[in-house]
Amino acid sequence: MTETDVVARTMGELLSAPPLEPADDFFIRGGDSLRAVELIARLSAAFPAQDGTPDENLGAALLLVLFEDATPQALGDAVTRHRAALAAG
C-alpha cells in the first residue's frame, strides 16, 4: 500500500466514505478544520518517527500541504518526500 493509498483510506474513514480518489479534495468532499486536525494526527501516527512515536515534523509538513492542496496525492507525496529526507540523513 502506497503513502497515497493510506492517506486516501484515512480521509475516507474520517468522512465516513470509501477511500478518496488521488485527486479528490478533502474539503470539497466534506472535510472541515476539525477533521483536518484529526487527519494530521492519524497520518502522523500511521507514519511514525524512527522511535515509533507520531512524527510531529511530518504533521507540520502535512498541515502546510493540506491547506494548499488537500488531495490524497499531494499529502502522499509530502509523506514520501519527508520519509526520503529522513532516510538521507
Side-chain angles (χ1 to χ4, degrees):
M1 183 172 288
T2 69
E3 287 87 352
T4 299
D5 293 335
V6 172
V7 173
R9 186 188 69 222
T10 304
M11 286 179 168
E13 289 170 358
L14 285 169
L15 299 173
S16 299
L20 274 63
E21 293 296 322
D24 285 347
D25 186 284
F26 178 73
F27 295 111
I28 291 173
R29 292 286 307 270
D32 54 33
S33 59
L34 293 176
R35 286 188 178 115
V37 170
E38 180 64 24
L39 175 64
I40 298 301
R42 287 187 188 192
L43 293 177
S44 295
F47 301 105
Q50 290 181 349
D51 64 1
T53 62
D55 189 337
E56 293 178 13
N57 292 325
L58 173 61
L62 291 175
L63 186 61
L64 293 173
V65 172
L66 183 64
F67 288 103
E68 291 180 13
D69 185 351
T71 62
Q73 185 67 58
L75 291 169
D77 290 348
V79 171
T80 300
R81 285 191 305 274
H82 181 78
R83 294 174 91 186
L86 288 177

